[in-house]
Amino acid sequence: MNKEEILKLAELARINITEEEADGYKKDFEGILNYLNSIQSVDIEFSQFYETNLTKNSMRDDDKIYDSGSFTDVLLAEAPEIDGDYFKVKKVL
Amino acid sequence: MRNKFIRKSHYKMTWQSQVLFKKYMINFKTTTITELHKKLISGEVSSSELVQQSKSAISEKNGDINAIIEVFDGTFIPEKITEKSSLLAGIPVAVKDNILFKGHTVTAASNILAEYKATYNSKIADIFNTSEVSLIGRANMDEMAMGTTTETSRYGSTKNPVDITRVPGGSSGGPAAAVASGMVMYALGSDTGGSIRQPASLCGVVGMKPSYGAVSRRGLMAMSSSLDTIGPFANSVEDAEIIFNEIAEYDELDATSVSLEKRATYQDKNKNNKIIGIPRSFLEMDGIQNDVLENFNKSIEKMKNLGYEIIDIDLPLLKHSLAVYYIVQPAEVSSNMARYDGIRYGLHKDGDNILDIYKNTKTSGYGDEVKRRIMLGTYVLSSGYSDEYYYKANALRGAITREIHEAFNNVDIIATPTAPSTAFKFGEKKDPISLYLEDVFTVPYNLTGNPAISIPSGVNNDGLPFGMHFSAPMFCEKKLFEIGKDFENIIKQ
């Protein structure tokens, strides 16, 4: 992995990193990926996937009636910025 | 030793001082939940005395150990405890800082949630309310449950009560140390790759990871959703069993909670509990501390003398578990950590546009290890690499699961040491890989979903605890408790 790839990765991960930090990550990831690459030696068909999910399409009746707005105050109390009953967000487009 | 001293001096006291001494008579380390429950019913002790005792122990010891990061005001104290009460009623407990209790601060030891107050109750909180549990406070952890030493917490590191120059393990180092030092009777933690069992081993207490789907994850902050579990820390296997039985309720609000009927189908198929399988070649890997392996072999020999049949089993894929785990887990982390966006709750760092707000918030709110895992997860999921890493790891996870589940056709229990080393000094292990290797024996059962327990297995020449790790077929926690009690008895002899 080269430094440009690290910087691209940070961008995708929505994290700001400095050039210096990129060098640190490069070193870390080389060690980690070297270890993770050991799985490439295993010959395994993707179709061998073993079904482990014990719960599938877990459904329940939508029968709990809440009063409109009954959670609004407690949720908005945690928001960094609000406007009336809304979360305040910077213009997206 | 300490307990002997207390008993001895107790006899020398006058009756007046005995009355004053009464509230300090309970030593959480040497009693059991059942004994306390009986005393609470008879009135020999009261819940408020137990809570007071817990809070005194915290003020006395927490300065050195830093296991508890907040003692809650107004701990619930049941009015009356009777035979009908829960066994846990009125007994002091601490909970890892990633389980939600409505109205209480909960941060996962991260700056990104420093001021966050839970807006709803976890299933655990609901169970605690019904059971009239006395919740003492929040216990320390690695940031977002990512770590094996409890050093990455925003509240500073937790110290191992056995030797405060050493790490308590992680990520649930706080709950482990709180129980090991007698600050509370028991604690709850979360285990994604070994985060209950490894600190339990390093601190010398019992720690248990239930089957995936046995304990509701509702209100547990998600780190890696397909691997996360909640489980107990206790002083004995018997206590761990009582706690597990209280918290293992089905929860319709957790889509991965498994019904009791379905659990029973596994339990009916797996009745015996006499054959212990040992994945021998997996144990003799590089990096396992010599005395850990010696202790394991000696302890297994004792189980043999007790009548257990010991057989070596070959699990050729098991050695790939840690690599698979360090692909699947960061992948899920990168997705789960995306929710802390600085908009709806938690830290907000302003920026010129919405993208800058995300970036500034995450950059300032997360510590190094969390960032490292988000980046790693983003990498293994990115187009061009996802076949090689994420999908390959998922296929291998399935194959490992099949391997373990099939192994349980021939054995009742699989045994290994809990961790490849005993508690190490702060700063001794620094690079990510050597820390990740701490979980080599515990991660397989998060990948496969099987229940597992770590039980103290004596100490080494430096007095540092060893842990014995047993795992069982899906939903056969009872087997772990049965064999665990046998093990506990034979180790004490």
Side-chain angles (χ1 to χ4, degrees), chain A residues 52, chain B residues 192 226-227 320-322 324-325 328 397 400-401 442-450:
Chain A
T52 52
Chain B
T192 304
S226 77
L227 303 160
H320 298 293
S321 299
L322 193 67
V324 169
Y325 174 79
V328 173
R397 178 183 184 179
I400 292 167
T401 305
T442 49
V443 290
Y445 311 99
N446 294 84
L447 294 175
T448 65
N450 292 77

Side-chain angles (χ1 to χ4, degrees), chain B residues 64-66 142 147-152 156-174 176-177 180 198-204 289 419 421-430 434-435 438 464-465:
Chain B
D64 288 336
I65 295 173
N66 195 31
D142 275 301
T148 48
T149 59
T150 317
E151 285 174 287
T152 67
S157 61
T158 294
K159 315 295 186 290
N160 192 321
V162 180
D163 174 352
I164 59 167
T165 66
R166 292 175 189 272
V167 302
S171 64
S172 313
Q198 184 256 9
S201 176
L202 269 51
C203 292
Q289 207 172 291
S421 68
T422 48
F424 45 94
K425 298 250 183 197
F426 284 98
E428 196 178 317
K429 295 186 185 184
K430 278 201 182 105
S434 67
L435 290 166
E438 273 294 294
L464 303 172

